[in-house]
Structures are given as C-alpha cells and as structure tokens.
Amino acid sequence: MSIAVTGATGQLGRLIVTALLDRGVPAGEIVAIGRDADRLAELAGRGVVTRPADYDDPDSLRAALAGVDRLMFVSGSEVGRRRPQHANVVTAAKEAGVGLVVYTSIAHADTAGMRLAAEHRDTEGYVRDAGLPYVFLRNSWYLENYTGQLDAYRKQGVTGAAGDGRVSAATRADYAEAAAVVLTGDGHTNRVYELGGAPFTLTELAAEVARQTGEPVTYTDLPADRYAEVLVAAGLPEGYAAVLADSDSGLARGELEVGDDLARLLGRAPTTLAEAIRAAL
C-alpha cells in the first residue's frame, strides 16, 4: 500500500512521515510530497520515496499522486490562497484514483465562525463533492503556538482576546501520531474526528507558566480590535494580526474546544500543557 503525505517538508507533514515509519510502514511505501528539494533529499536518505509538487501546480500534483492508495492531505499554509490550492489537490487525487483522503482540517470546521474555518469548511466540501472516501482530522491549536512564546510571556505576560474560552491544544507530534493511526488502520472511512488535548484558558496558561518559572506571569484580556493593534505594534502584518485576533474571538466562543477523539486514537492521554511547557523551558 502506498501512502502519500503532502506538505512533507513542513513541520506537521514531516512528523507524520516519521510517525508512519515508527509504526512500521516500510519507507518505500511512503511518498513524501513537498516543495523544498533539500528537505525532500533528507527524507530520501531515509529510504522514503520523494516527489516534488506545488499546490499551485496541478501537473506536479497529478504526477506526485500517481499510484497512491492513501493520501495524507496536509492543508496549505497560505491563508487566503487555500481554496484554489486545495481544489487542485482534490482534483489530482480524484484523477489518480486515490482510495482514501485524510485531510487536516480545523476544529468544528462545519460550524465555527472564525475566518480560518471557512477555507477548511470549503475544502471538506471539495472532498465530499468529488466522491472521495475521506477522514477529516479537525485539529485544534498546536501547543507550540504557546510554548514558542514562553520568553515573551515571562517578560510581558500573556495577552489575548479569548476571555474565559478554553482551547484544546495538542502537540504537533500527537496530531501526527493520530494521523498515522488513521492512515494505517481500518474503520475510519468517512469519519470526522475533532482532535485536541485537555482544554485550558489563557488565564490557566499564564498561571502554569508562572508556576513553572516562579515568575509573575498573568493574562491580560483585550477586545479583539485592540488585541489586533497590539499585535501590529509588535511587528505583525495587519492582515495576519486580524486573523489571530479573530481566532481568539473564536476561542472565546468555544470553537477550539473539543472532546477526547485524540486520546481515543492515540490510546493514551495527549501531551498536557504542563508537560509541553516543562519540555520547552
């Protein structure tokens, strides 16, 4: 069985390739697809089949997906460009006769009001409309979104627009392992999984950073428009700042809180916030 992973040179895609290898999938049955030639070469060095492709290049996608049985479709990173890019992937998968498409979506993609959900919702529609067997892995936030900011938290505290909303964040590695479970197992076809770890508020995030560092870290909650202004002042582009502030508003509405699907797929509890912070300090 041939399993292809798009975005295999990105952070999540690369972890999924590793998780497949860890589960005993022969390297020669894994097709790593990506744009970064150097990173593809590293995977080829591990015996993985590599094929260059770009979501904006339908011909490259058709060539990359030839003979593929199962496709791990990692969503693109270019917000605002994903509809045409993802449509290209779905069309290529349909033409290649792929037997299963596993897509990394977002939590509550069918109902969430945050801007980031719209492209994922439409992509799920493309896959269904194409008549392709699917599994939608609706991932909540990455814990790395927070642990990557620990130095800033220690200096300035945690700032956001999430109110008392809870986010079911999990590590990229846990999401990758769950993807590998689905790709190598049976009984998942046409299932939707809402994936994430134990939920926490940003107030609890600040408290955990304070507990582990012994420093006075607190959470400051702002209106979404004011939070966007703070992000722009910190150097983020206005468009990106607006998306992050809008996402925090979704967090406040409960759109990033999910149940225990991730734990059930993993057969264990996902990495906790406390464990992730401890590992990052």
Side-chain angles (χ1 to χ4, degrees):
M1 180 175 65
S2 175
I3 301 175
V5 181
T6 69
T9 56
Q11 295 182 81
L12 179 60
R14 191 176 183 83
L15 286 170
I16 293 172
V17 171
T18 299
L20 289 170
L21 291 169
D22 289 345
R23 290 185 68 80
V25 177
E29 295 181 7
I30 302 171
V31 179
I33 299 171
R35 294 181 296 185
D36 189 322
D38 290 338
R39 288 177 177 264
L40 284 178
E42 293 173 13
L43 291 171
R46 301 175 68 181
V48 174
V49 177
T50 60
R51 297 176 183 172
D54 189 308
Y55 287 171
D56 287 311
D57 183 350
D59 289 339
S60 72
L61 291 168
R62 279 191 287 270
L65 296 182
V68 166
D69 299 305
R70 295 188 173 188
L71 171 61
M72 181 67 243
F73 177 10
V74 177
S75 60
S77 60
E78 298 176 74
V79 177
R81 287 279 307 139
R82 290 190 283 203
R83 285 185 177 88
Q85 291 176 337
H86 289 183
N88 287 339
V89 176
V90 173
T91 298
K94 176 75 170 179
E95 293 177 355
V98 171
L100 180 69
V101 175
V102 181
Y103 173 65
T104 58
S105 190
I106 195 171
H108 305 296
D110 54 338
T111 59
M114 68 174 66
R115 297 182 194 178
L116 286 178
E119 290 174 312
H120 291 291
R121 180 163 51 247
D122 287 349
T123 302
E124 291 185 5
Y126 302 156
V127 175
R128 284 191 172 108
D129 290 346
L132 289 163
Y134 64 83
V135 182
F136 296 145
L137 303 179
R138 292 179 174 168
N139 295 344
S140 184
W141 260 204
Y142 299 135
L143 277 170
E144 289 87 347
N145 292 352
Y146 301 112
T147 58
Q149 300 185 70
L150 289 179
D151 288 343
Y153 293 160
R154 296 170 73 174
K155 295 174 183 175
Q156 305 160 8
V158 179
T159 303
D164 294 324
R166 303 199 304 170
V167 55
S168 299
T171 62
R172 284 189 181 89
D174 281 349
Y175 289 129
E177 184 179 337
V181 168
V182 169
L183 288 163
T184 57
D186 297 316
H188 303 289
T189 301
N190 296 345
R191 298 284 299 275
V192 176
Y193 295 108
E194 301 280 354
L195 302 183
F200 56 87
T201 66
L202 298 195
T203 297
E204 291 168 337
L205 165 66
E208 184 60 30
V209 176
R211 185 185 72 81
Q212 293 202 34
T213 63
E215 299 169 3
V217 179
T218 58
Y219 172 58
T220 301
D221 192 60
L222 300 172
D225 57 351
R226 175 61 185 139
Y227 180 44
E229 292 173 359
V230 169
L231 293 173
V232 170
L236 272 64
E238 287 188 11
Y240 184 44
V243 168
L244 291 181
D246 176 75
S247 296
D248 255 24
S249 295
L251 197 166
R253 295 189 296 267
E255 294 174 0
L256 289 169
E257 183 176 359
V258 301
D260 61 355
D261 282 356
L262 181 57
R264 289 191 290 108
L265 286 176
L266 296 178
R268 61 171 174 81
T271 304
T272 65
L273 173 65
E275 291 167 340
I277 290 175
R278 188 176 306 116
L281 286 173

